[in-house]
Amino acid sequence: MYFRQLFLISCLTALVASLGFSLYQWYLVNPIIFAAELFELAEPIDLTATEHGLEQTESWAPDDGIERSLYTLLANFLMSLAYSLLLGCAVVFRGPSSTLKGLTWGMAAYLSVFIAPGLGLAPEIPGMEAADLSQRQNWWLLTVSLTSIGLAVLAFSPRYYKGAGLILMLLPHLIGAPAPEIHGFSHSDPEAVAMLTGLWHQFILQTSIANALLWFIIGCSTGFLCHKFIDAVPPLQPTKLNKA
Amino acid sequence: MNVNNPASLEQSVPVALTKNIQLLAAAALGFVILFGVGFAPMDLAHNAAHDTRHSVAFPCH
């Protein structure tokens, strides 16, 4: 009963959140990605590589335009669904929910899923030099886990242990994010590098706003719907049936 | 959950247990979907979710 309710709540939330997020992304984030990709394409292609294995190396990708936008919308929906499921579990586990509680959880999630890993690994546009992918993914997972556990300790533990929460949140930054040998853009033209750096700064600003919007909608909607469809419906208890 | 009522005391444990199991299952589903969208290393998943991965700052490329 909890599972079914949570799943339906998350589907509804994901529908609203992915539409809001996709609209913002479509007007203010995607143009930056597309502009950066133009620079990526303009770079000289290694001919020896393309002659040998174009068929093998080029895998399927959605066509630019409506197809690509639809796949992005689908990916946004699935991601919002996953986020809303996880947030809903946390809210319901802690007891009765409300819109305000959902919003608080949403903002905590924004801090631990976007801001904290972003401090070490800033959002990147295509074409940037970056460290090894699996190392970055590991650091990302470590940071998100430790920040969320740290925030939970800060919020729910007795006063004496709150310091431990702060230490947990600081730990991944003391370890340090994996950094590439040269950070920035490998483009040979200095003018292009200047333009790409400008795009990158815009991208960091716009993704910060877009993700805040995403978590705002997910938080409020999950909290509100959990209150309406989980708190309001008493769980089936055999004792009540016996009494009747 | 009504803990003061002795009649419901027996039942309250299984209800709490099934609640937690269901929450765990929902969270597990959330993690699986999130992995598929954000971390799956196949090119297919990467290309389809490319703009989403960049926009939410998942490590990409």
Side-chain angles (χ1 to χ4, degrees), chain A residues 224-244:
Chain A
F224 172 73
L225 292 174
C226 281
H227 177 64
K228 201 140 177 67
F229 294 113
I230 290 185
D231 297 349
V233 185
L236 272 181
Q237 287 194 17
T239 44
K240 287 192 177 167
L241 295 176
N242 290 344
K243 264 189 233 164

Side-chain angles (χ1 to χ4, degrees), chain A residues 125-241:
Chain A
I125 51 177
M128 280 188 84
E129 294 293 319
D132 177 52
L133 178 62
S134 59
Q135 275 184 18
R136 279 183 294 141
Q137 287 185 332
N138 289 341
W139 189 84
W140 190 92
L141 280 175
L142 178 82
T143 310
V144 172
S145 326
L146 288 187
T147 310
S148 37
I149 296 171
L151 275 176
V153 170
L154 261 186
F156 304 126
S157 73
R159 194 190 293 165
Y160 296 125
Y161 298 107
K162 290 200 191 296
L166 274 180
I167 293 172
L168 280 178
M169 287 167 72
L170 280 176
L171 198 62
H173 302 283
L174 294 178
I175 296 171
E181 284 170 20
I182 326 147
H183 197 251
F185 300 93
S186 56
H187 211 282
S188 47
D189 183 5
E191 255 182 61
V193 171
M195 280 187 77
L196 280 166
T197 311
L199 279 176
W200 179 42
H201 291 159
Q202 265 187 324
F203 187 70
I204 294 176
L205 175 72
Q206 293 300 348
T207 46
S208 305
I209 300 172
N211 280 272
L213 176 76
L214 175 76
W215 281 112
F216 178 82
I217 303 177
I218 291 181
C220 289
S221 164
T222 308
F224 172 73
L225 292 174
C226 281
H227 177 64
K228 201 140 177 67
F229 294 113
I230 290 185
D231 297 349
V233 185
L236 272 181
Q237 287 194 17
T239 44
K240 287 192 177 167
L241 295 176

Side-chain angles (χ1 to χ4, degrees), chain A residues 1-3 6-7 21 25 29-30 33-34 37 59-62 68 71-72 75-76 78-79 81-83 85-86 89 92-93 114 123-124 126 133 136-137 140 203 207 211 238-239 243, chain B residues 1-2 5 7-9 11-12 15 18-20 22-31 33-34 37-40 43-44 47-61:
Chain A
M1 133 88 191
Y2 282 102
F3 184 87
L6 264 178
F7 187 76
F21 181 70
Q25 188 191 28
V29 179
N30 277 353
I33 297 180
F34 297 157
E37 274 177 354
S59 59
W60 173 89
R68 183 169 173 175
Y71 273 99
T72 303
N76 287 343
L78 288 174
M79 185 197 57
L81 178 70
Y83 277 160
L85 270 172
L86 293 170
C89 286
V92 173
F93 180 73
F114 187 81
E124 286 183 342
L133 178 62
R136 279 183 294 141
Q137 287 185 332
W140 190 92
F203 187 70
T207 46
N211 280 272
T239 44
K243 264 189 233 164
Chain B
M1 221 163 291
N2 188 0
N5 180 358
S8 73
L9 209 72
Q11 298 297 333
S12 67
V15 167
T18 164
K19 174 184 172 181
N20 286 349
Q22 292 192 40
L23 290 184
L24 263 180
L29 179 67
F31 278 119
I33 299 175
L34 198 61
V37 177
F39 288 90
D43 282 345
L44 217 82
N47 291 344
H50 177 263
D51 296 348
T52 302
R53 287 185 184 193
H54 271 285
S55 302
V56 295
F58 281 137
C60 191
H61 291 297

